[in-house]
Amino acid sequence: LGVGLVGMIQGGPDAPLLRRVNGIRKQLVLGLGFLLPPVRFVDNVKLRHREYAILIKGYEVARFELAQGCDLAIANEPDVATIEGISGKEPSFGMPAIWTPSSKSMEARSAGYTVVDHVSVLCTHLMEVVRLHAHELFGLQEMKKLLDLVSTENPKAVEEVVPKLLSLAMIHRVFQNLLRERISIRDGVTILEAAGEASLTTKNIVLITEYARQAIRRSVIEPFLGRDESLSAYVLEATLDETLSSSVQHGEITSHLALAPNLLREFMNRVEEKVGSPSTPVAVLVSSATRYFLQQLSESTLKNVFFLSHGDIPPATRVVSLGVIR
């Protein structure tokens, strides 16, 4: 924290920021499936007066500056009335926002804006950073704790898989792969059993991960379901999908996509042209052979675009096409 934000953590456990962060850690247990390591706050004179930086394992992953005496107003609709303030962006999702004087917050809400204070801005940003980097925070120690927890109710599930079929390091990679795509590992028993079953035919971590995804497919597609339980998704054109699938090479332990960088860029450009840069999660339906690699390619530039395979879709789910990517 910059020295101008230190007041957020003064007062010990009852400080507004510390209370909120404790709540976030509990909330993310349900969303991610494991308990986050403690969040530590320190002041740093190298930061701007009201700036904060978020570090993971000592390396900075995000930074933002809070305007003094202002709240952040985010428009609920694109055509809301203009309000007094300084234009900016909210840090979690990059949505346009306005720093409006705190004394004008009620007026901003009446005009159709969602108005958040500094603590809420920082906490929302922290939650999003944690979701994006959950796979980095889920270390071998966290994996061991999860296995110990599963063992209390399903000891056989652990005994038959680790280390008989998969080493601790290999099953850890599977769980990390799921977290990297923002999939909860809360149903550790099902993931573990599916990984063990897949390992009887392959030790390829990519293929085992895909098998595990399909075992928990209801939770995989949940963020994309509408009120009528239908799944709205863009669809990758069959010929293009086949071209990508033919470039996938599977090894004993892992797989890779053997396609020239310029062709990969061209493909991602086609996706962006069709889908845009959505502020909420959007699904693209592809074959299971290419899904893993396309997700890896998109995560740095199209953070809200998620590639689903046909195997991720439960049989009773109705798919509504949003368009075809050619």
Side-chain angles (χ1 to χ4, degrees), residues 229-267:
E229 295 297 302
S230 65
L231 173 69
S232 297
Y234 292 90
V235 180
L236 187 61
E237 192 267 329
T239 304
L240 180 56
D241 205 341
E242 288 171 9
T243 300
L244 292 168
S245 297
S246 64
S247 301
V248 175
Q249 297 179 0
H250 298 294
E252 185 177 349
I253 300 298
T254 190
S255 307
H256 68 278
L257 183 62
L259 206 62
N262 63 312
L263 295 178
L264 292 175
R265 281 194 298 272
E266 181 186 340
F267 170 76

Side-chain angles (χ1 to χ4, degrees), residues 40-272:
R40 296 183 177 88
F41 293 92
V42 294
D43 60 323
N44 188 336
V45 295
K46 293 181 180 179
L47 294 172
R48 293 174 182 267
H49 190 66
R50 301 190 63 78
E51 189 176 44
Y52 65 82
I54 302 174
L55 286 72
I56 293 178
K57 298 180 180 179
Y59 294 95
E60 184 179 319
V61 294
R63 180 184 291 231
F64 193 66
E65 187 171 7
L66 302 169
Q68 187 163 9
C70 295
D71 292 333
L72 195 62
I74 305 161
N76 296 325
E77 299 291 341
D79 56 350
V80 294
T82 303
I83 60 172
E84 179 184 341
I86 303 167
S87 296
K89 287 188 175 181
E90 64 84 37
S92 304
F93 307 101
M95 293 187 293
I98 296 174
W99 286 109
T100 188
S102 298
S103 59
K104 303 284 186 181
S105 293
M106 287 301 295
E107 294 177 26
R109 289 189 178 92
S110 300
Y113 290 80
T114 297
V115 182
V116 289
D117 61 19
H118 287 180
V119 171
S120 297
V121 171
L122 193 157
C123 288
T124 304
H125 195 187
L126 178 63
M127 282 185 70
E128 185 61 16
V129 166
V130 167
R131 288 193 180 103
L132 288 173
H133 297 272
H135 61 291
E136 297 176 51
L137 296 166
F138 187 74
L140 281 171
Q141 187 61 37
E142 284 71 30
M143 183 72 248
K144 182 66 168 62
K145 288 178 182 177
L146 190 148
L147 291 177
D148 290 343
L149 186 62
V150 171
S151 290
T152 57
E153 294 186 2
N154 297 273
K156 277 292 181 184
V158 177
E159 289 173 15
E160 294 300 318
V161 178
V162 184
K164 288 183 180 179
L165 299 176
L166 292 168
S167 68
L168 179 64
M170 292 179 76
I171 197 67
H172 177 233
R173 284 278 308 282
V174 173
F175 277 75
Q176 277 189 316
N177 284 345
L178 295 172
L179 285 170
R180 185 171 181 173
E181 298 186 10
R182 287 180 260 181
I183 296 171
S184 173
I185 56 172
R186 187 173 55 204
D187 189 359
V189 176
T190 301
I191 296 169
L192 196 63
E193 290 176 343
E197 186 177 342
S199 72
L200 296 173
T201 56
T202 181
K203 290 298 187 285
N204 185 306
I205 297 298
V206 172
L207 298 178
I208 293 174
T209 301
E210 292 303 299
Y211 196 88
R213 276 176 62 94
Q214 293 175 23
I216 55 168
R217 54 191 175 185
R218 289 184 182 85
S219 64
V220 169
I221 68 165
E222 186 179 8
F224 311 101
L225 295 178
R227 291 182 179 177
D228 61 351
E229 295 297 302
S230 65
L231 173 69
S232 297
Y234 292 90
V235 180
L236 187 61
E237 192 267 329
T239 304
L240 180 56
D241 205 341
E242 288 171 9
T243 300
L244 292 168
S245 297
S246 64
S247 301
V248 175
Q249 297 179 0
H250 298 294
E252 185 177 349
I253 300 298
T254 190
S255 307
H256 68 278
L257 183 62
L259 206 62
N262 63 312
L263 295 178
L264 292 175
R265 281 194 298 272
E266 181 186 340
F267 170 76
M268 293 312 299
N269 288 339
R270 292 187 191 184
V271 174
E272 190 167 8

Side-chain angles (χ1 to χ4, degrees), residues 261-312:
N262 63 312
L263 295 178
L264 292 175
R265 281 194 298 272
E266 181 186 340
F267 170 76
M268 293 312 299
N269 288 339
R270 292 187 191 184
V271 174
E272 190 167 8
E273 286 172 9
K274 189 71 177 180
V275 178
S277 298
S279 56
T280 55
V282 169
V284 178
L285 195 56
V286 299
S287 67
S288 58
T290 57
R291 192 214 63 78
Y292 175 84
F293 306 99
L294 300 182
Q295 189 63 56
Q296 301 282 306
L297 286 170
S298 70
E299 68 178 8
S300 60
T301 54
L302 299 172
K303 294 181 180 179
N304 276 320
V305 176
F306 292 86
F307 291 88
L308 305 178
S309 75
H310 298 279
D312 291 331

